[in-house]
Amino acid sequence: MVKSALHPPPGRWHSSHSAAPTSRYVTLNIMTTIIVTARSGTPAHMRSLAAVGTAMALALTACGDNPDDRPAAGSTTTVVVLDNNPLGTYNPVNNHGRNGESRIYQGLFRVQPGQPDTQPDITPLLAAGPAVPSDGNRTWTVRTRTGVTFSDGSPFGPDDVVTTYRALINPAVASTELVRWQNLHTVDATGPDEVTFRLKDPSPEFDRLLLTGIAPSERLDAEKATTPDAVPAKDSSLNTDPVGTGPYELTDLRADQAIFEARDDYWGSVPAIGKIVIRHVEDENSRAQQLRNGEGDGTLLDTRLSKAFDNNKDFTVSSRTSADWHAITLPAAHPFVGDQTVRTALNLAIDRQALVDGALDGHGTPNSTFLAPFYGNAYDKSKEIPFDRAHAEKLLDDAGWTRGSDGVRAKDGRRAEFDLIYFTNVGETRKLLALATTSELDKIGVIAHPVAKNSADVSDEDYRTTPLVLGGGSQPYSIDAQLYTVLHSTFAEPGVGAKWDNASDYVNKELDAALDAARVEPDAATRDALYRKAQASYAATPGMLQLAYVKHVYVSRDMGWKEPGVALEPHSHGVEFGPWYTIADWTAS
C-alpha cells in the first residue's frame, strides 16, 4: 500500500521525513518533526518538548560528526538518491523501466551487467530460459518462470505477460511505447507457462526488446487496457500505485519524494539495501549542494559540477559508457540547414574531439554517424565524418553562401544563421554542447543563436522548423531499435511517430533500403554488413549534426557497498542506471 501525502492514514501524522543512512539525517528528521509539532500546538508542554528536541538534535549532530560513531562499512541499509526526474510515473505500459531498470517491475529478460563497452547479453528474468524463434523469426516463444509473485501477493503467469503487451499495442491506451511495438501482431498464452509472440515481419533481435516490466493482468483488466475503452496510460493508477514482481515496492509517494522498501516476500534474494529514498531535485546545482551538505548519497551531475567531488574521499565519481547520442537536428523545412550541401558542410566543420574534451570534459566519445564501437562489426570507424573545416568552407562558397564584410555568410540576401534550442530541464550537457557548437560554427561564418527552453514548451512546429540539441538512444540493445526511428524516412512523414523521431525529416532512400533489409536479415554477418552500408550512406549525406555519445557521470557517497557490475547504459536523464541499476544486488565491500 502506497501512503499518500494528501490522504494520510487515519490517526497517523504523515511525516515529511524518512529513515536515512547516517546519524546526520536522523538528526535533521528528529529536529524537524518535533519543531513542526510544537508550532502546530499551543500547550506549554509541547513548547518544552520542542526545546528538548532541539537540544537532542544538537547532541546527535555532534555525535554524528565523530568518525568513530559513523556506521561500519555496509551497515547502512537506506540510500538517499537525488533525481531530476518527476516522480509518480511508474506505469510500465507508459515507458517506466522500458530497459529493465525499474525497481518495482521486472521484464522477461534483463540487460546483463559487466559488459559496459559492447552489446550486453540479455539474460532471462521472468522468462525460464531463452526466447525461441520459429517461422523465420516471425514467431517467438518464451517459457515463463514459476513460483513468482507480485507485491500484492498474486501469482505471476503468462496472462500477465499477454495483458501487458496487448496493452502496449492498444491505440486506446495511447502508450508512448506504441511505436516501439509496431511490429508486434499478436501475443497469446500458448501453455500453462508459455507465451507466444507473433510478428508482422521477421525480427532476428526481437528477444532483445523483451525488457519491459510486466504488470498484473488484474490491474490492467480493471482499466480495460486491452479494449477500445481503455484508460489512457498517462492516467493509469499504476503510475502512483504500482504493483510488480521486483525486489522493491513503493511505500510512500509525494511530489518531492518517493520511498521504496525491499519486499520481505520477494521471490528472489531479498536485497541488503532495505530502503531507497528518491528525492526530486530538478536543479543540478542544488543537487550538488545537497550532496555536499549530507542531504543525499548520490546523483547524476554534469562534468563541471562533478569535478568538485574528484578529490573528496567520501565520494566516488564514476563515468559510465552509454548509448546516449547527442546531436543537433537540421530540419528540412529550415531555409538554411535544410539544404543537403549545408548539412554536409556543418558536419565537416565541427571538431568533435574538441567538443568532447571541452564541453564534456572528456566524458564522451566523438561520433558522427550514430553507429558506434559498442555495436561491434556493424560499425566501420573509417566511415566517420572527418573534421575538415577548409572543405566545409569550400562547399558553402560553391553553394553561394559567401562571407560578407562582417564575416557572416549570406546567399540571396539571407544570412547563414539559425536559432538553436536546448532544453533547460535535463541537465547542463545540452547547453554546453549548444554553446560549443555555436563557437565552432562561428569559425566558418555561420551564426547559431542558442535558445533555452523547457522541453515541455517545445512544440511540434519547433521540432519541424528549428534546430535543437536532441538526445536519444533510449532502446540501444538492438541496432534496429537504435537507428530506425531516428533515420528512416517513414518517420519524416506527417503524423508518423513521435515529434522527435527523424526530427530533421531526413530522406535517404539508399539508407532506408539498408535499414529495411537489416531489420529482417537472420544472418548476423550479413546484417552487420548492411548496417555498415547504412553508415556509409549516412556519412555521405548526413541528416543531423551528430556530435558524440556522452558518458553519464554519477557522484555517489562511499557507504561500504559493492555493485556487481556496470552495464552499457541507454539514453536517460536520471538515476535509474548508474550505481543504482544493480542496487538490489549490492553486497558489503
Side-chain angles (χ1 to χ4, degrees):
M1 177 67 69
V2 180
K3 293 191 295 181
S4 166
L6 299 178
H7 304 286
R12 295 184 64 185
W13 175 64
H14 183 83
S15 170
S16 64
H17 68 279
S18 61
T22 69
S23 55
R24 175 168 51 247
Y25 298 130
V26 175
T27 297
L28 293 172
N29 292 338
I30 291 173
M31 183 163 59
T32 302
T33 302
I34 296 176
I35 290 175
V36 169
T37 305
R39 287 178 177 173
S40 62
T42 56
H45 73 275
M46 295 297 285
R47 293 192 295 272
S48 299
L49 183 58
V52 172
T54 302
M56 287 173 60
L58 292 172
L60 283 169
T61 300
C63 180
D65 286 338
N66 185 344
D68 294 334
D69 294 325
R70 292 174 185 168
S75 65
T76 299
T77 59
T78 296
V79 176
V80 179
V81 188
L82 310 178
D83 195 0
N84 64 319
N85 286 331
L87 306 175
T89 54
Y90 301 121
N91 183 2
V93 176
N94 210 36
N95 88 28
H96 170 70
R98 60 151 65 108
N99 289 302
E101 69 271 29
S102 175
R103 302 171 183 97
I104 308 163
Y105 302 97
Q106 294 172 315
L108 290 170
F109 298 91
R110 186 172 192 253
V111 174
Q112 180 66 31
Q115 300 166 298
D117 299 314
T118 187
Q119 274 290 275
D121 294 331
I122 302 297
T123 57
L125 189 54
L126 293 182
V132 179
S134 58
D135 189 25
N137 291 322
R138 283 184 174 85
T139 301
W140 290 78
T141 302
V142 180
R143 298 282 296 175
T144 55
R145 187 184 291 272
T146 59
V148 175
T149 58
F150 288 94
S151 58
D152 64 358
S154 61
F156 160 79
D159 287 346
D160 304 303
V161 179
V162 169
T163 306
T164 297
Y165 279 93
R166 286 181 179 175
L168 284 164
I169 62 175
N170 180 7
V173 171
S175 169
T176 56
E177 298 292 276
L178 184 61
V179 170
R180 180 183 187 184
W181 298 105
Q182 61 184 341
N183 191 33
L184 179 57
H185 181 51
T186 62
V187 54
D188 299 284
T190 50
D193 303 306
E194 183 180 275
V195 176
T196 299
F197 298 87
R198 293 180 176 85
L199 312 181
K200 299 171 186 175
D201 297 305
S203 177
E205 294 187 310
F206 179 75
D207 57 329
R208 299 185 68 82
L209 301 179
L210 298 175
L211 309 173
T212 296
I214 305 301
S217 58
E218 296 85 357
R219 289 290 297 274
L220 293 171
D221 287 340
E223 297 180 350
K224 302 179 180 180
T226 61
T227 75
D229 299 320
V231 173
K234 66 180 179 62
D235 299 325
S236 170
S237 64
L238 289 170
N239 285 301
T240 55
D241 185 21
V243 174
T245 62
Y248 292 93
E249 60 183 330
L250 180 68
T251 59
D252 188 67
L253 178 63
R254 303 194 316 253
D256 63 338
Q257 181 172 282
I259 297 177
F260 302 88
E261 297 189 47
R263 291 174 51 195
D264 292 333
D265 63 343
Y266 177 53
W267 62 271
S269 299
V270 176
I273 299 298
K275 183 179 290 187
I276 305 168
V277 180
I278 307 294
R279 290 183 179 150
H280 174 55
V281 185
E282 184 173 303
D283 181 71
E284 205 156 15
N285 289 285
S286 296
R287 295 201 304 276
Q289 185 61 45
Q290 289 185 27
L291 277 190
R292 284 191 290 269
N293 292 346
E295 298 171 46
D297 299 313
T299 194
L300 172 73
L301 291 177
D302 76 60
T303 57
R304 295 179 310 157
L305 290 172
S306 69
K307 276 185 176 181
F309 296 88
D310 281 345
N311 298 315
N312 190 320
K313 62 181 178 59
D314 294 326
F315 291 91
T316 295
V317 178
S318 55
S319 181
R320 306 292 174 97
T321 301
S322 84
D324 188 350
W325 54 260
H326 277 51
I328 293 172
T329 64
L330 304 173
H334 192 278
F336 177 58
V337 304
D339 178 79
Q340 187 57 57
T341 298
V342 172
R343 287 172 166 176
T344 302
L346 298 186
N347 270 273
L348 290 165
I350 298 297
D351 185 347
R352 292 172 173 83
Q353 186 63 62
L355 251 65
V356 168
D357 293 342
L360 302 180
D361 199 34
H363 295 283
T365 302
N367 184 268
S368 60
T369 62
F370 295 96
L371 269 296
F374 47 76
Y375 286 126
N377 291 330
Y379 169 72
D380 183 351
K381 184 177 181 180
S382 71
K383 294 301 185 289
E384 290 285 355
I385 300 171
F387 167 49
D388 191 338
R389 190 174 292 145
H391 188 191
E393 298 216 59
K394 186 175 188 307
L395 285 176
L396 293 173
D397 287 339
D398 292 348
W401 292 96
T402 55
R403 289 181 184 264
S405 58
D406 60 356
V408 179
R409 294 180 181 274
K411 178 181 179 180
D412 299 332
R414 180 181 296 279
R415 283 161 59 90
E417 63 182 343
F418 57 91
D419 287 346
L420 176 56
I421 297 172
Y422 65 87
F423 301 154
T424 57
N425 57 315
V426 290
E428 291 287 307
T429 298
R430 298 190 199 201
K431 175 183 176 180
L432 295 172
L433 287 172
L435 296 177
T437 301
T438 296
S439 177
E440 286 286 292
L441 294 180
D442 183 66
K443 297 171 184 176
I444 63 166
V446 174
I447 304 301
H449 303 286
V451 177
K453 282 193 175 186
N454 187 292
S455 61
D457 298 328
V458 179
S459 67
D460 290 11
E461 184 66 9
D462 288 331
Y463 273 87
R464 193 183 72 82
T465 61
T466 308
L468 54 86
V469 183
L470 195 64
S474 59
Q475 302 151 32
Y477 306 115
S478 153
I479 304 178
D480 175 69
Q482 178 82 336
L483 298 182
Y484 201 83
T485 61
V486 178
L487 300 178
H488 199 281
S489 65
T490 296
F491 296 91
E493 298 171 10
V496 178
K499 59 187 175 184
W500 49 79
D501 290 334
N502 193 349
S504 291
D505 291 334
Y506 172 61
V507 177
N508 180 335
K509 293 302 182 183
E510 182 183 50
L511 181 143
D512 284 353
L515 292 180
D516 286 336
R519 72 184 334 206
V520 300
E521 174 55 52
D523 179 71
T526 304
R527 193 162 63 244
D528 285 343
L530 286 165
Y531 282 124
R532 292 195 300 272
K533 182 177 180 180
Q535 183 186 10
S537 179
Y538 178 85
T541 54
M544 284 203 282
L545 188 54
Q546 159 67 343
L547 301 173
Y549 275 98
V550 302
K551 292 186 176 181
H552 298 156
V553 181
Y554 303 94
V555 179
S556 54
R557 190 180 305 279
D558 293 331
M559 301 173 67
W561 294 99
K562 180 181 179 182
E563 58 178 314
V566 176
L568 175 69
E569 300 191 357
H571 168 73
S572 62
H573 300 147
V575 295
E576 292 83 7
F577 277 86
W580 309 285
Y581 174 63
T582 57
I583 193 168
D585 301 316
W586 283 7
T587 56
S589 59

